[in-house]
């Protein structure tokens, strides 16, 4: 789809006018020039709704780690604890790792740590992919580049009638359409249009400022094509080793839930276990059912034991929270 320079200017004007009237201007990461706060919002908003981030996580995290330096100097356990409940804990680990790198670079230069302003340098940091780098560059440093989150992808697919998009194709379309003179307002508007008008179901095409160039407006829900994936089911046997009214937890070292504390998963529970029932939890790529077993030890055979009060200070996953609640319900009924 070819768009002349004059038509592109008209489209950009319509987008800016729409954003001025309908944009979500009061979001806290849109009212700051602090690259750290903008970067934090971009990481938190990956796979997470704006409402969830805004109401429960963004401000408490900043209260604990108000600056890039504070985050980089903090222990990982404290960072994971503040991230608890937000999920996708690799985001928090990479955020912390990148902050530490920037703090060390700042110390070498003898200056305060700061994020780089160009996309290539941003993408060298842990956890910063192509879209996050573009978002930080556009929003924190007003670089003339587009962003490519889920809402923008959907808009581009509909504009160009793309059923099965690929990244190279979409980035080319994104760069062709971006308003290089007003990248901040343009990109924020595109995300808001996707979130409020060009929605997955029942899009409000008649109110969209892009309707004049949308090739998919006759059948927008066709683009992109929906891919239905069967979610696999997994089962695990979890043993709560209890000694002197304390429970054993292990700190995970694998890629999944790395750094979090949790109850031990075993292939075969000890024979003398008491069965407490099961809890289920849905992750993005699978559903997990945990069969919970309680084993009272006469001598301490595990490495770490914690009281209930101590466990509440640890960073644990949602499924381990559910397991703990099942245990507390069990002992309260005794």
């Amino acid at each position: 789809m070819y768009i002349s320079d004059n038509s592109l200017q008209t489209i950009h004007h319509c987008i800016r006018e729409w954003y001025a009237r309908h944009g979500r201007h009061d979001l806290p990461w849109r009212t700051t020039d602090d690259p750290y706060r903008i970067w934090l919002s971009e990481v938190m908003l990956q796979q997470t709704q704006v409402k969830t981030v805004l109401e429960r996580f963004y401000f408490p995290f900043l209260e604990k780690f108000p600056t890039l330096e504070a985050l980089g100097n903090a222990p990982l356990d404290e960072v994971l604890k503040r991230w608890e409940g937000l999920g996708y804990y690799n985001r928090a680990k990479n955020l912390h790792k990148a902050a530490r790198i920037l703090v060390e670079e700042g110390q070498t230069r003898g200056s305060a740590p700061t994020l780089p302003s160009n996309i290539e340098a941003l993408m060298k940091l842990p956890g910063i992919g192509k879209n996050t780098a573009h978002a930080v560059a556009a929003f924190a440093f007003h670089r003339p580049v587009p962003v490519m989150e889920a809402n923008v992808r959907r808009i581009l697919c509909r504009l160009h009638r793309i059923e099965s998009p690929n990244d190279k194709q979409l980035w080319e379309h994104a760069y062709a359409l971006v308003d290089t003179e007003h990248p901040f307002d343009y990109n924020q508007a595109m995300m808001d249009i996707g979130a409020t008008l060009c929605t997955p179901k029942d899009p409000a095409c008649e109110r969209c400022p892009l309707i004049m160039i949308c090739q998919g407006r006759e059948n927008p829900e066709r683009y992109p094509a929906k891919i239905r994936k069967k979610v696999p089911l997994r089962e695990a046997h979890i043993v709560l080793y209890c000694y002197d009214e304390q429970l054993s937890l292990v700190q995970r070292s694998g890629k999944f839930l790395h750094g979090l504390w949790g109850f031990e998963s075993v292939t075969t529970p000890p024979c003398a276990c008491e069965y407490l029932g099961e809890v289920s939890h849905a992750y993005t790529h699978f559903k997990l059912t945990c069969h919970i077993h309680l084993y009272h030890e006469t001598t301490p055979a595990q490495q770490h034991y914690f009281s209930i009060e101590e466990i509440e200070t640890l960073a644990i996953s949602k499924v381990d929270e559910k397991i703990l609640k099942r245990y507390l319900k069990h002992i309260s009924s005794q």
Side-chain angles (χ1 to χ4, degrees), residues 300-314:
Q302 314 306 315
Q303 188 173 1
H304 302 286
Y305 292 88
F306 303 91
S307 66
I308 300 301
E309 292 76 16
E310 289 171 330
I311 293 175
E312 290 174 351
T313 68
L314 300 177

Side-chain angles (χ1 to χ4, degrees), residues 84-332:
E84 192 176 64
L86 191 53
Y88 301 94
Y89 290 93
N90 270 338
R91 294 182 295 174
K93 286 167 48 191
N94 285 328
L95 189 77
H96 179 252
K97 188 175 181 180
R100 287 209 155 177
I101 291 172
L102 294 171
V103 167
E104 289 172 2
E105 290 178 354
Q107 290 172 344
T108 301
R109 296 191 306 266
S111 61
T114 184
L115 281 158
S117 61
N118 69 80
I119 289 171
E120 292 74 18
L122 285 165
M123 289 180 64
K124 291 179 181 179
L125 292 169
I128 297 186
K130 190 172 184 177
N131 180 59
T132 301
H134 276 70
V136 172
F139 300 145
F141 302 106
H142 297 272
R143 292 295 179 95
V145 296
V147 300
M148 185 71 71
E149 47 84 81
N151 288 315
V152 176
R153 289 177 65 89
R154 185 168 57 255
I155 291 173
L156 293 172
C157 287
R158 289 173 176 175
L159 290 181
H160 298 276
R161 288 192 299 188
I162 301 172
E163 293 189 45
S164 302
N166 64 68
D167 283 347
K168 183 177 183 296
Q169 180 184 29
L170 289 182
W171 277 109
E172 288 175 354
H173 288 313
Y175 266 97
L177 188 59
V178 67
D179 185 344
T180 56
E181 294 185 9
H182 306 90
F184 183 95
D185 285 356
Y186 168 84
N187 283 305
Q188 300 289 10
M190 289 290 283
M191 293 191 295
D192 284 356
I193 290 167
T196 62
L197 299 182
C198 194
T199 50
K201 295 181 179 179
D202 300 321
C205 297
E206 70 283 354
R207 294 189 281 121
C208 180
L210 292 163
I211 191 171
M212 67 186 82
I213 60 167
C214 184
Q215 298 183 63
R217 61 183 177 272
E218 299 300 327
N219 190 9
E221 293 185 30
R222 180 177 174 181
Y223 311 103
K226 298 177 179 64
I227 301 175
R228 299 189 180 277
K229 296 181 180 180
K230 187 176 180 181
V231 180
L233 303 177
R234 299 181 186 176
E235 291 188 291
H237 289 280
I238 306 297
V239 177
L240 308 183
Y241 293 100
C242 183
Y243 175 76
D244 194 23
E245 298 185 353
Q246 294 186 320
L247 297 175
S248 170
L249 284 86
V250 296
Q251 193 166 29
R252 305 183 194 281
S253 57
K255 184 176 180 180
F256 185 61
L257 301 179
H258 178 90
L260 298 182
W261 290 88
F263 300 106
E264 189 170 352
S265 176
V266 300
T267 303
T268 305
C271 295
C273 280
E274 181 181 359
Y275 185 63
L276 303 187
E278 64 182 46
V279 299
S280 297
H281 190 72
Y283 293 97
T284 303
H285 302 297
F286 66 95
K287 291 182 179 179
L288 176 67
T289 297
C290 295
H291 303 280
I292 308 166
H293 310 266
L294 176 61
Y295 184 72
H296 289 281
E297 296 180 315
T298 55
T299 57
Q302 314 306 315
Q303 188 173 1
H304 302 286
Y305 292 88
F306 303 91
S307 66
I308 300 301
E309 292 76 16
E310 289 171 330
I311 293 175
E312 290 174 351
T313 68
L314 300 177
I316 65 174
S317 69
K318 278 292 184 184
V319 70
D320 287 299
E321 283 185 7
K322 292 179 180 180
I323 292 168
L324 181 61
K325 287 179 181 178
R326 179 58 61 93
Y327 168 75
L328 293 174
K329 183 178 179 180
H330 168 74
I331 61 176
S332 66

